[in-house]
Amino acid sequence: MTRIADFPDDVVRLRQAKGMPVMFKSTSTSLILLGILAVIVGIIAIAWPGVTILALVILFAVYAFLGAGLQAARAFSSRQAGPVLGHLLLALIGLAAGVAALAWPGPTAYVLVIIVAAWALAGGVAEFVLGFGGGETAGTRALFILSGLVSVAFGVLLFARPGVGAVTLALLFGLYSLIYGFSQITAGIQLRHLGGDVKSLTELPHAA
């Protein structure tokens, strides 16, 4: 009996399909890690009612740097040029925001609000644009669009109210981090399940 893999074109497609579960797993892992990081930061920000500006700067900078590292990892795990550039842009935005927050020895609440707002707005626009690009699953693109809209809304809110204090900023940032984190974790779990389904499908020709 002639097997599917006997045809050259099908061999290529089969090899590409075999590599998809690995791509799904690496992407889902970075999504879950980014989501867990966001949730942890959100809980810390909300549970710290007497937060000072310096502590909030350090917390935000750590989150921005770690998030940038995970975005860079997602960029290098992607096989498409569009997602690579998109995730690298998000990594650079996070890195720039973290550096900007630490650049002032004693930033005021106003300066920190502007930095966080610019970070959320720029990152949200980048995620929104990435959601309309190719190289990702439909569910992942929908997540990018949703999380991008949430980030843009958060950035616009801060720009509209730049006079908030450290405690209010911590609460807003904490709520945003929780929403963003849970959405990333959910997307990562769904993507991992999708990778398992793809792996099962790629094993079917061997059973023929």
Side-chain angles (χ1 to χ4, degrees):
M1 184 178 73
T2 304
R3 297 174 58 182
I4 296 176
D6 291 335
F7 297 94
D9 292 341
D10 291 322
V11 170
V12 174
R13 285 195 292 267
L14 183 58
R15 288 178 178 175
Q16 291 174 343
K18 286 182 178 179
M20 289 178 68
V22 177
M23 180 184 66
F24 281 137
K25 185 176 181 180
S26 61
T27 303
S28 65
T29 300
S30 61
L31 280 170
I32 293 172
L33 288 176
L34 184 60
I36 292 174
L37 172 65
V39 169
I40 292 174
V41 170
I43 293 174
I44 293 174
I46 293 175
W48 205 347
V51 65
T52 63
I53 290 298
L54 180 59
L56 194 54
V57 165
I58 295 174
L59 181 65
F60 171 71
V62 169
Y63 174 77
F65 288 145
L66 292 178
L70 288 173
Q71 290 291 354
R74 288 174 67 181
F76 291 112
S77 68
S78 177
R79 299 186 178 185
Q80 301 291 331
V84 168
L85 295 177
H87 291 306
L88 282 179
L89 178 60
L90 288 170
L92 290 175
I93 290 172
L95 182 63
V99 170
L102 295 175
W104 286 273
T108 63
Y110 179 82
V111 172
L112 185 58
V113 167
I114 295 301
I115 293 174
V116 175
W119 163 78
L121 194 58
V125 171
E127 283 191 315
F128 189 78
V129 173
L130 189 59
F132 287 98
E136 301 282 6
T137 63
T140 304
R141 292 198 299 270
L143 168 71
F144 286 145
I145 295 173
L146 178 61
S147 58
L149 290 175
V150 171
S151 297
V152 168
F154 178 62
V156 170
L157 175 64
L158 290 184
F159 271 124
R161 300 285 184 178
V164 300
V167 175
T168 303
L169 177 59
L171 291 175
L172 290 174
F173 181 61
L175 289 173
Y176 162 75
S177 296
L178 287 177
I179 296 172
Y180 186 82
F182 282 123
S183 68
Q184 297 291 312
I185 292 173
T186 301
I189 293 173
Q190 291 177 346
L191 194 61
R192 179 155 295 192
H193 289 164
L194 180 60
D197 294 339
V198 171
K199 183 178 180 180
S200 298
L201 291 174
T202 57
E203 292 174 351
L204 289 178
H206 296 283

